[in-house]
Structures are given as structure tokens and as C-alpha cells.
Amino acid sequence: PPPFFLMIRRPPTATLFPYTTLFRAAPESLRDLVQDPRIPAEVRDALAAGIDVIMRVDVQGAATVRRLCPQALLIFLTTRNEEELERRLKARRTESAEELMLRIATARQEMQRLGEFDYVVVNRDNHLSDAVANILAILEAEHSRVDQRQVSL
């Protein structure tokens, strides 16, 4: 099957989902390019070589990629609910009260844009392996589609 361009929404709490776990479990053909959402030559080269590309972006970056590459696959990664998000952020103790409120407000705003994504994956507390398995299942399902996404950049 042709490679595809996968965008995973980077939550305001990006450290709550260790992406390295996903890539350790992912097929060898996956390439993680953590960049700004302009489509760099590296992405074009990887896709031309038949390598799936994953980028981690916020919702604005995902919207930009969707505009530049409508066939991109977008996954919205989130916590189970706002209470869990707030609890995790507080447990980290890395933000001031103001920064914490800003992160939560940002997450609320981003949730309003869920409909712009193709899939949603919930990263429940203490269930990281489930979130990774869900993302890998999405990758497998997309590669098994009869009507494959044809990514052109």
C-alpha cells in the first residue's frame, strides 16, 4: 500500500503521552518527523521512499497540514476527560497556577475542533499501552483500506 501522512494532535500536555513508546511498537517503515507543520522536503522524500510519516502538531498545525495535504490522516489524542487532564497536569508540578489554567483553557478550545480530525484516541491514565495499540490499529486499518489514501504533496 502507498505510504500515508499521519498527524497526531499534540495535546497541551504532550509529555503525558511518551511518543517514543509508540515508535518502539510501530513498524520499521514509520518515520517520526517532529517539525513545524509546513511540509518540509524530508516529508516529501520519506513519502516518495514509501515510508509512513508521523508528525506531532497542535490543532492549528493539523489544520495547516490538512489545507496543504487534504489526504493526511489526523488523530486527535486526548485524555479521558478534563478532570483527568487537570489532575495529571497538577501532579507534574511543572506549571504555575496561571500556566495550568492556560493549558486547560487551550485543551478546552482544542476539543471544539475535534470534528476536523479523522480519529480520536483516548490516552487514559495508566493505560498507555492501550493508546499505543489504538494508534497502531488505526495505522493497520488505514493500510488495509480498499480505497487507499493517495497522499500528494
Side-chain angles (χ1 to χ4, degrees), residues 50 65 112:
V65 168
Q112 300 302 312

Side-chain angles (χ1 to χ4, degrees), residues 7 9 19 34 36 38 53 60 79 93 101 103 121:
M7 310 304 303
R9 173 212 174 228
Y19 291 91
V34 183
D36 64 53
R38 292 172 292 190
V53 175
Q60 294 83 6
T79 56
R93 297 181 182 198
M101 296 301 287
R103 283 184 180 265
V121 170

Side-chain angles (χ1 to χ4, degrees), residues 9-14 16 57-60 76-89 92 98-115 117 120:
R9 173 212 174 228
R10 178 182 46 81
T13 57
L16 298 180
V57 296
D58 59 16
V59 293
Q60 294 83 6
F76 192 96
L77 182 64
T78 188
T79 56
R80 189 170 39 120
N81 54 42
E82 190 175 316
E83 292 78 25
E84 184 175 310
L85 171 68
E86 188 172 340
R87 185 183 50 69
R88 287 186 188 185
L89 284 171
R92 286 189 342 185
E98 283 181 5
E99 291 169 329
L100 179 65
M101 296 301 287
L102 179 60
R103 283 184 180 265
I104 292 168
T106 299
R108 259 190 223 119
Q109 290 173 344
E110 289 185 347
M111 283 299 290
Q112 300 302 312
R113 298 180 67 179
L114 182 63
F117 289 75
V120 62

Side-chain angles (χ1 to χ4, degrees), residues 9-43:
R9 173 212 174 228
R10 178 182 46 81
T13 57
T15 58
L16 298 180
F17 186 86
Y19 291 91
T20 54
T21 303
L22 170 63
F23 299 109
R24 277 197 302 269
E28 294 274 332
S29 65
L30 226 50
R31 183 161 179 193
D32 179 32
L33 299 173
V34 183
Q35 309 230 8
D36 64 53
R38 292 172 292 190
I39 300 177
E42 281 185 285
V43 172

